[in-house]
Amino acid sequence: DDIQLAEEVVEEIQKGAFIEEIFQDQPEKLKQLITLTLKIKGETLTESKTKTTHYKLKAEDIRLVVKEVIGVELTTENISF
């Protein structure tokens, strides 16, 4: 579910993963994260965005997902949002 996905994202970041690395080896989870990000932003997953290579997650996206889903303000060092 969305909460578990957001928690996994936080875990990956705490382990030192870069935004671009999150779920790169798990395409279904990456697609789920992209879909969730777009849903929170009020957008939908269109045919042109169905391939994960067409949508690049940004630090701001991750911060928004974590804040909206688990209610935690994500802070990081040396990353501008």
Side-chain angles (χ1 to χ4, degrees):
D1 73 328
D2 295 346
I3 294 172
Q4 182 179 352
L5 183 69
E7 289 172 347
E8 288 181 45
V9 168
V10 171
E11 280 180 32
E12 291 296 317
I13 291 172
Q14 288 174 336
K15 291 178 188 175
F18 292 103
I19 300 302
E20 302 83 27
E21 298 173 339
I22 295 174
F23 301 136
Q24 288 302 315
D25 59 339
Q26 300 173 43
E28 284 303 311
K29 281 193 178 184
L30 180 59
K31 184 175 180 180
Q32 184 182 1
L33 179 59
I34 291 170
T35 302
L36 177 60
T37 301
L38 292 172
K39 183 170 93 174
I40 289 171
K41 288 181 162 188
E43 301 174 26
T44 57
L45 187 64
T46 63
E47 186 65 32
S48 64
K49 293 180 183 174
T50 54
K51 293 190 179 206
T52 56
T53 57
H54 292 128
Y55 188 87
K56 300 292 182 196
L57 289 170
K58 297 177 242 164
E60 180 180 324
D61 297 332
I62 300 300
R63 183 176 143 198
L64 179 65
V65 167
V66 171
K67 182 179 179 187
E68 293 295 319
V69 175
I70 51 181
V72 174
E73 189 72 37
L74 186 64
T75 57
T76 57
E77 296 178 16
N78 300 323
I79 296 179
S80 59
F81 288 102

